[in-house]
Amino acid sequence: MDRFIERQSWSRFDKLWALGGVLFYGAPCWALLLGSLIDGSLWVAAACAGALAIFGVFNWRMRARTAGALLAEVTPLGIRFQDDQQPIAWADVIRVDFYETGGGTYSPTYDHIALQLRNGSTVTHTVQGILRSQLEVVVPQFAPQVPLGHERPAP
């Protein structure tokens, strides 16, 4: 393997998930739509139907816009996280850390990768859960000289 590339997908499952989001998060509007149809208030029903349609189009477009976006590219020369970003050379990286932030009752956890560079700066990037586990396997294959850690870098 000469490189590892992971891009954002837009599969049938993702499309079904987007439709399910409209059905689930639009539940109050669906209830109001049904109630207004039973009551005979057609203008309320039309407003609810329009709101659901706008929400559905916005949700679909927002998810489809990120399809194909670069999540991570790892090569023997370096690593990058966006298409318009120059790869960060492994020669400039002294340590790679994987860590989590957030968590608790109402906040989600986020996985991060932190690249500590020779010039003293740190480059951090938020990665998805499965991408984190893939990067933990792939980074040592392409850069065995760079140590891995699981510590949050100091600010």
Side-chain angles (χ1 to χ4, degrees):
M1 175 168 56
D2 63 341
R3 69 180 49 221
F4 168 80
I5 299 175
E6 187 70 26
R7 294 196 173 270
Q8 183 71 36
S9 68
W10 182 234
S11 64
R12 270 192 240 153
F13 177 76
D14 296 322
K15 294 173 185 174
L16 184 62
W17 189 257
L19 180 63
V22 171
L23 294 176
F24 179 77
Y25 293 111
C29 202
W30 286 108
L32 188 58
L33 176 65
L34 181 63
S36 62
L37 287 175
I38 291 171
D39 188 39
S41 302
L42 295 180
W43 68 273
V44 175
C48 288
L52 282 169
I54 290 170
F55 177 67
V57 168
F58 174 74
N59 189 19
W60 187 275
R61 183 68 189 129
M62 182 180 65
R63 291 175 184 267
R65 183 173 297 191
T66 61
L70 182 67
L71 296 176
E73 179 181 11
V74 184
T75 66
L77 300 176
I79 185 170
R80 69 182 181 145
F81 301 103
Q82 296 173 352
D83 284 318
D84 59 350
Q85 179 185 28
Q86 290 294 323
I88 300 169
W90 290 122
D92 296 336
V93 179
I94 58 172
R95 184 179 170 92
V96 176
D97 285 306
F98 295 94
Y99 65 96
E100 290 181 356
T101 60
T105 306
Y106 297 110
S107 64
T109 59
Y110 295 100
D111 293 325
H112 302 275
I113 182 172
L115 306 172
Q116 296 179 5
L117 305 180
R118 293 200 186 283
N119 64 8
S121 64
T122 302
V123 176
T124 61
H125 188 74
T126 304
V127 294
Q128 298 173 347
I130 188 71
L131 181 59
R132 174 186 173 166
S133 59
Q134 290 173 333
L135 288 174
E136 286 178 333
V137 172
V138 170
V139 167
Q141 292 176 357
F142 287 104
Q145 74 279 11
V146 178
L148 293 181
H150 297 282
E151 299 175 8
R152 184 174 184 172

